[in-house]
Amino acid sequence: MKTLILSSLLCLFISVQPSFAEGDDGLYDPVAPKGTAFVRFFNTTDKETSFSVHGKKYDNVDGMELSPYYVQKNGDVDVAVGAGKVGQKLEEGHFYTAFVTDGTVKVLDDQSLQSRAKALVVFYNLTKQDKLALKTADGKVEVIAPQEKNTAAGREMNGVKVSFAAFAADKSKAVLPDIVLERGKAYAVIASEGKDGSVTLKRFDAITNTKK
């Protein structure tokens, strides 16, 4: 009888454990398939723009929007955005974000999520501001230290509800509404700049598209 009860409890315990092999949309996979890397594109313009890697075209990206990551073979590739193109060496298991600045295609090597017990926030300063920091909206907590223009940095955090803002020194330049950071997910927080010099802050979930 005791054996039967213990067996039943063991089956129940196993059945309610979360499955980490399913539902990976919005997650960085900590171990990439052998020989692959991941590339995505942020459109810094206000017009739909084409995007391709090593001659393979992907869906056009609307203005001020971020594409999913697309799976690539590691090695030397050409990353093309609109009429611009740049050569880039992709390393196995790495994630990259491409964008255009001053008419030139630039590719950043992104930080990836190491612990699924945490949420990853990667902050991109894609403005003409020399330095921008990511802080809580009230300015009291610096989440990510000031970043030079066209650079990025990330930080793993606990799951929490938080409102971010981009700061130039002690001046708030743009505020992001409250978001709930979920453990095991990665987020891009991107500061971009309009023609009038105003800074916009947008949040995106990191998603990998393995179907294209």
Side-chain angles (χ1 to χ4, degrees), residues 155-178:
R155 177 176 176 177
E156 293 192 358
M157 305 176 62
N158 291 324
V160 66
K161 182 178 181 180
V162 62
S163 179
F164 292 126
F167 276 78
D170 293 329
K171 184 177 181 181
S172 177
K173 306 294 288 188
V175 178
L176 195 64
D178 285 350

Side-chain angles (χ1 to χ4, degrees), residues 63-119:
M64 300 298 175
E65 294 295 330
L66 182 67
S67 78
Y69 282 108
Y70 294 106
V71 180
Q72 313 292 331
K73 289 185 178 180
N74 63 308
D76 294 324
V77 300
D78 290 324
V79 179
V81 179
K85 184 168 62 175
V86 68
Q88 177 70 32
K89 183 175 183 179
L90 304 181
E91 296 188 41
E92 180 179 348
H94 284 226
F95 296 81
Y96 300 87
T97 298
F99 61 99
V100 175
T101 176
D102 295 326
T104 301
V105 180
K106 185 176 178 65
V107 181
L108 297 179
D109 190 343
D110 293 334
Q111 180 175 329
S112 58
L113 181 63
Q114 299 302 308
S115 171
R116 293 199 179 189
K118 298 284 188 177

